[in-house]
Amino acid sequence: MSRDTPADRKESNIQPDGGTEAAHEDIDYLDREVNLLRPSTPFMRDHLKIIWSSFVLWALVVFGPVTMTAIAPEMMTVQTPLFGFPLHYFLVSLGAPTGALILAVVYTRYRDRLDQKYGIEPDSVENAAPEGSEATAADGGVEQ
């Protein structure tokens, strides 16, 4: 049984995770299968890392206080000195929505970095309409 060395992988464009290396411009994403368990492009693999880590953090932020209240009610039902509410109420009513908003900002920053890494420009989608085709007004209005 032969093993691939990094030099062999470089020559054959095989990455250690089993994917193949290709320039972003060479990949036709519309013809690629979208599979959450086996992403077919490097961009999809990197994007899924961001999505899954964001999902895990979101689940901890949203369901963590509720779960802790069920596990340790004596700790979570103490009155907070600042507002006088029980700790679990404060965490669920203020912590979860604030945490979700912070996670949304963090996700957009990581996604912007990912787009820059792969050379995806925000204007490239808007300007991708073929010559002579009629543009669609996405807000329901009429294009001026």
Side-chain angles (χ1 to χ4, degrees):
M1 177 156 102
S2 68
R3 293 194 174 249
D4 285 343
T5 64
D8 293 336
R9 275 190 233 118
K10 186 176 181 183
E11 289 175 11
S12 64
N13 290 336
I14 297 175
Q15 293 179 338
D17 63 357
T20 57
E21 187 175 329
H24 169 68
E25 294 82 21
D26 298 338
I27 298 173
D28 185 10
Y29 288 98
L30 296 177
D31 288 339
R32 294 295 184 116
E33 176 186 357
V34 177
N35 185 341
L36 292 177
L37 302 176
R38 298 190 71 189
S40 60
T41 64
F43 174 78
M44 288 180 195
R45 282 191 289 277
D46 291 345
H47 191 211
L48 276 177
K49 288 177 190 174
I50 295 170
I51 289 172
W52 283 112
S53 59
S54 297
F55 175 72
V56 168
L57 289 173
W58 171 82
L60 288 173
V61 166
V62 172
F63 296 112
V66 176
T67 306
M68 285 301 298
T69 302
I71 294 172
E74 60 280 344
M75 180 183 79
M76 295 298 287
T77 56
V78 297
Q79 302 292 321
T80 56
L82 185 60
F83 297 110
F85 291 111
L87 181 60
H88 73 282
Y89 179 80
F90 178 75
L91 290 175
V92 170
S93 65
L94 293 176
T98 304
L101 287 173
I102 291 170
L103 282 171
V105 170
V106 169
Y107 169 78
T108 56
R109 290 190 184 224
Y110 276 106
R111 177 60 197 262
D112 287 344
R113 284 189 208 153
L114 186 65
D115 288 349
Q116 280 182 340
K117 177 182 174 182
Y118 286 97
I120 299 171
E121 309 250 345
D123 296 344
S124 64
V125 175
E126 294 170 2
N127 296 333
E131 248 343 274
S133 67
E134 191 173 312
T136 304
D139 63 356
V142 178
E143 187 175 331
Q144 301 290 327

